[in-house]
Amino acid sequence: MVRTMSLLRALIGTARLVRHAPRLTAALPPDDDVLLDVPDERLAPALIAAALADYEPAAKLLATTRDGAEWEARDRYVARLATFAYSRDEWLTHWLEAAPRDPDALLVKAELAVRRAWESPARAERLRELGPLIDAAAEASPGDPVPWRLALDHARGTHAGHAAFEALWEQAVRRSPHHYGCHIAALRYLSAQWYGSHRECFDFAEQAAEDAPPGSLARVLPVNAAFAQYLTGSGPMPDDRIDAAAERGLALSAAYPEGDPWTAEVRNLLVYVLVRRGRWEEAWEEFRKIGPYATSFPWALLGEDPLAGFLDTRDAVRAEVSRSIPLRGRGHGTGHGAEHGAGRRTGHGRAGRSGPGGHYA
């Protein structure tokens, strides 16, 4: 009897999948339309110009963020420009030759140097050599928190003690109390993977989220703490705290437009946590809100092909939601974009579609 019931459930689940999956697929962009780390309308011209060894659009963009105290945007753009310079740095070389003391050029230079040092087998030694470079970037732009985010990452890689890290943290929050990048750097330092514990990581993330103003990306720091917990795979999983983190993430996501590239990385991360908790319908809604904007984080930390990880997870969520809909049900998400039809993934469609890596999150 037990085997008969199991077979019955399997047959019904398959029937539901066949019935509803096409309509769910139609609610999303086709697989071949999904791109990785798409730059926004401000960053894209700077990257195009950099490909032609022209640094001026990047210089103007970063100067604008500095003058306007757009610290979140500045941090993201610096990280993306450094990622581009990792393989094509002629434009940065020209910029530094033309303006060796430019605070924005110095910041991109420091970001790039730290990133390269992190990948070295002698990481700690390489990073220690870069202290003066980070100091120069901080001195060139005194009110800027981004060099201090870089200093926090640097401290983690050089095995700085808690007292040294706290001193850097004080400088960072003095410049921007709720800066997302600096908080991510601190959260990583406090994680069980580095110099803290799961409890410390969650405590810090929850308090920072509570203190952050509405709409701030810092509101989703507990989602980052949950991901850190899943990433290490050690210790008991505090399901109640992870669910509470997911609720914070859902609330922030709801405050932003669907298909918003600015929150794409946060939504990608939220989807992963929702999937791990088996919250399939909410994960499906987040995939719909993400639209075509896959991001390297978190998928690059979970497999060699982040775009494939995104698409495969989206397929899995679609299958789970399809199986949960009664055969006579109308389905989920069918009112959004059904007229666009379903896409089909091919190996060719995935190849060569990755853009620059994600930012600091």
Side-chain angles (χ1 to χ4, degrees), residues 143-347:
D144 185 356
V146 182
W148 296 96
R149 186 269 300 165
L150 197 55
L152 292 169
D153 286 336
H154 175 267
R156 175 165 53 94
T158 54
H159 311 297
H162 281 47
F165 194 89
E166 287 174 9
L168 295 172
W169 173 250
E170 182 182 353
Q171 294 294 328
V173 296
R174 183 180 300 173
R175 288 159 174 80
S176 182
H178 308 292
H179 185 255
Y180 184 58
C182 290
H183 279 77
I184 290 294
L187 187 148
R188 287 176 172 170
Y189 184 90
L190 292 171
S191 71
Q193 189 177 10
W194 289 93
Y195 308 113
S197 66
H198 294 313
R199 182 177 296 277
E200 288 177 293
C201 188
F202 264 106
D203 287 347
F204 170 79
E206 289 168 349
Q207 187 60 62
E210 188 68 27
D211 293 343
S216 169
L217 293 181
R219 289 272 187 165
V220 299
L221 285 167
V223 180
N224 286 272
F227 177 73
Q229 175 92 347
Y230 283 127
L231 194 63
T232 58
S234 60
M237 304 298 284
D239 290 344
D240 57 336
R241 300 182 83 172
I242 293 176
D243 282 332
E247 292 300 328
R248 288 184 183 273
L250 289 167
L252 183 79
S253 176
Y256 284 85
E258 296 177 5
D260 175 28
W262 177 255
T263 53
E265 190 169 80
V266 166
R267 283 172 169 159
N268 274 249
L269 179 64
L270 175 59
V271 156
Y272 177 80
V273 172
L274 291 170
V275 168
R276 289 296 299 263
R277 293 294 298 136
R279 297 172 65 165
W280 305 111
E281 293 187 11
E282 290 162 311
W284 176 255
E285 280 300 303
E286 289 307 307
F287 269 122
R288 190 177 60 75
K289 291 178 181 179
I290 288 168
Y293 299 115
T295 58
S296 291
F297 181 81
W299 311 107
L301 297 178
L302 305 169
E304 294 183 358
D305 187 340
L307 182 55
F310 174 91
L311 294 173
D312 290 344
T313 304
R314 197 174 72 163
D315 284 350
V317 171
R318 178 187 60 185
E320 291 290 343
V321 173
S322 297
R323 291 189 182 97
S324 71
I325 304 173
L327 281 172
R328 294 180 179 272
R330 291 181 175 272
H332 294 253
T334 54
H336 302 273
E339 70 277 8
H340 294 298
R344 181 178 301 276
R345 184 181 329 140
T346 64

Side-chain angles (χ1 to χ4, degrees), residues 11-25:
L11 293 175
I12 292 174
T14 300
R16 290 174 173 177
L17 177 62
V18 172
R19 172 71 175 83
H20 298 299
R23 286 188 290 179
L24 290 174
T25 299

